Amino acid sequence: MKTIEQTTDEILNLAATHFKFPRAELQAGDDFYKKLGIDSLQALELLTRLENHFGVELPDYEVQGVSDFHTLAERIQARL
Amino acid sequence: MDNYKGKTLSWRLSDGVVELALNRPSANEIGLAMLEDLERLAASLPELESKASALILFSEQKAGFSAGADLRELFEGAQQMDASSAAKGVRAFLNRIHAVLNRLDTSPLTTIAAVHGVCFGGGFELALVCDLIIADKMARFCFPELRLGLIPGFGGIPRLKRDIGNAVVRDLLLTGRSINATKALSVGLVSQLAAEGEALRLARSTAAQTTKFDRTTAAAAKRFIKPLPAEELRREIDIFCELFMRPAVMDGLRKFVENAGPHPYLP
């Protein structure tokens, strides 16, 4: 079982790779919409990337209103 | 017409395969312009069907296959009319799009949707007319209509119910959630999963296989296994029109259209 820190770290790595953003500049508490400058369609890409990586399903309503990496990690952690 | 380039899509016939490319920025929203181009395709189908074995439907837009109906056009059109005229206008649009999609659904060609990115609402319904869906691993399918107080209006429910189990249809419809391509494969919606950027290549390979078969036999097999759920499709239009003019729907559409933030208005 991954820890929440491990899950968060993997999310930050995936987001940095997918959006070609410097990993070192991403923190768990960041608002990913603002920090990465992404829109809702790009957030869906991240959601799909995360589902594929972790092998989970994240229904839209579970992540609605979520905009920081740490809360996203909590939602994923609950389904691992 | 073997080749065509319209405002929102183009097609070309080559080696027995029609490749139909959707290309309306930003995400192939389906409004009047795309409907008119699709009607041109439907009118050209008899000629194309006499020369081809397969048709591939794909998107040239980076965002995905299609984000669905053009809700801005729908809302703004309804606002410019009185309620009775708006209701008639919506029903006329649905009748026209159903006619085109039913024609594609029952074409003797083997039809393949090559899907990447978003495949939502009316875009999902367009993919569902195809015999096979080949999806990129980053594709995502969704019926968000209930989140705006509506049901899918382009034939999505009857076609999905024809193709996969009712429980999955209820899940997608009643929660309004989106599912990824791996999930779509597991429930039988998608027939092949492609690596990122490879859906069109797999669709071309599959289409090439179909060109080896006797067309009369392939068309007979398709007619036998894929009946058109005509009565349910007609009923869907009625239900959509009954729901459409309610103030709650107009309010939801207004919030969706006028929202300028990064999060779409989708309750």
Side-chain angles (χ1 to χ4, degrees):
Chain A
M1 177 77 177
K2 295 176 197 288
T3 64
I4 185 74
E5 290 77 17
Q6 288 172 318
T7 301
T8 306
D9 196 49
E10 287 179 33
I11 293 172
L12 293 170
N13 288 338
L14 283 165
T17 303
H18 184 77
F19 295 109
K20 298 179 174 58
F21 195 89
R23 168 66 182 86
E25 293 178 24
L26 292 179
Q27 303 293 326
D30 286 342
D31 180 322
F32 47 78
Y33 284 99
K34 289 180 183 166
K35 192 70 177 267
L36 298 169
I38 62 175
D39 59 21
S40 60
L41 285 180
Q42 291 169 304
L44 270 177
E45 288 177 15
L46 178 61
L47 180 67
T48 308
R49 180 81 60 199
L50 295 174
E51 286 185 334
N52 289 342
H53 176 81
F54 289 103
V56 297
E57 282 185 67
L58 280 174
D60 310 52
Y61 49 83
E62 284 251 326
V63 292
Q64 196 162 25
V66 173
S67 55
D68 68 280
F69 292 108
H70 181 75
T71 310
L72 199 53
E74 288 179 335
R75 298 288 193 275
I76 291 172
Q77 193 77 4
R79 290 174 177 267
L80 288 177
Chain B
M1 198 171 358
D2 290 358
N3 299 289
Y4 171 78
K5 184 164 177 57
K7 288 179 188 168
T8 66
L9 58 80
S10 62
W11 73 75
R12 67 185 181 91
L13 169 64
S14 176
D15 297 327
V17 178
V18 181
E19 291 198 1
L20 173 62
L22 305 176
N23 195 6
R24 184 205 165 180
S26 61
N28 292 322
E29 291 83 358
I30 302 170
L32 198 54
M34 188 172 285
L35 171 61
E36 288 171 354
D37 275 339
L38 287 169
E39 286 176 329
R40 283 194 188 89
L41 170 72
S44 299
L45 274 177
E47 185 186 346
L48 292 168
E49 287 163 352
S50 71
K51 300 174 180 174
S53 298
L55 180 146
I56 298 171
L57 179 51
F58 69 102
S59 162
E60 291 183 327
Q61 289 294 315
K62 182 178 180 293
F65 186 79
S66 168
D70 188 337
L71 296 180
R72 182 174 298 278
E73 182 181 285
L74 180 69
F75 174 72
E76 289 173 355
Q79 291 302 296
Q80 290 164 11
M81 304 174 193
D82 60 62
S84 172
S85 300
K88 284 178 187 165
V90 168
R91 183 176 287 275
F93 184 91
L94 290 180
N95 283 333
R96 286 173 65 187
I97 193 101
H98 271 241
V100 171
L101 297 189
N102 291 349
R103 178 66 181 83
L104 266 172
D105 191 317
T106 55
S107 167
L109 299 174
T110 297
T111 51
I112 305 167
V115 175
H116 74 276
V118 290
C119 186
F120 279 22
F124 188 8
E125 295 176 281
L126 178 58
L128 281 170
V129 306
C130 293
D131 303 329
L132 308 172
I133 297 177
I134 295 177
D136 181 310
K137 280 184 180 171
M138 290 294 286
R140 218 161 172 92
F141 301 85
C142 182
F143 276 143
E145 286 84 353
L146 255 72
R147 298 164 81 168
L148 292 170
L150 286 166
I151 62 166
F154 296 177
I157 302 172
R159 281 187 241 277
L160 195 62
K161 182 166 157 262
R162 173 188 63 186
D163 295 343
I164 63 176
N166 195 300
V168 181
V169 183
R170 293 197 302 273
D171 179 10
L172 288 172
L173 184 67
L174 299 178
T175 68
R177 73 179 178 117
S178 59
I179 60 170
N180 64 36
T182 306
K183 170 76 173 183
L185 179 76
S186 74
V187 299
L189 170 65
V190 161
S191 60
Q192 295 181 50
L193 201 56
E196 285 181 55
E198 294 292 326
L200 181 56
R201 193 183 66 75
L202 295 197
R204 284 174 173 151
S205 164
T206 304
Q209 168 69 3
T210 71
T211 63
K212 300 172 187 169
F213 302 154
D214 175 72
R215 286 315 304 155
T216 303
T217 307
K222 179 168 168 177
R223 275 198 307 276
F224 178 58
I225 197 65
K226 196 185 177 200
L228 190 73
E231 182 51 38
E232 289 185 346
L233 287 164
R234 276 191 290 273
R235 182 73 188 119
E236 184 195 80
I237 293 176
D238 291 340
I239 297 171
F240 187 97
C241 290
E242 285 166 20
L243 295 169
F244 179 71
M245 291 309 295
R246 292 175 310 144
V249 173
M250 286 298 129
D251 188 48
L253 284 175
R254 179 188 304 281
K255 287 175 180 167
F256 182 87
V257 166
E258 293 178 352
N259 175 50
H263 306 276
Y265 174 78
L266 280 174

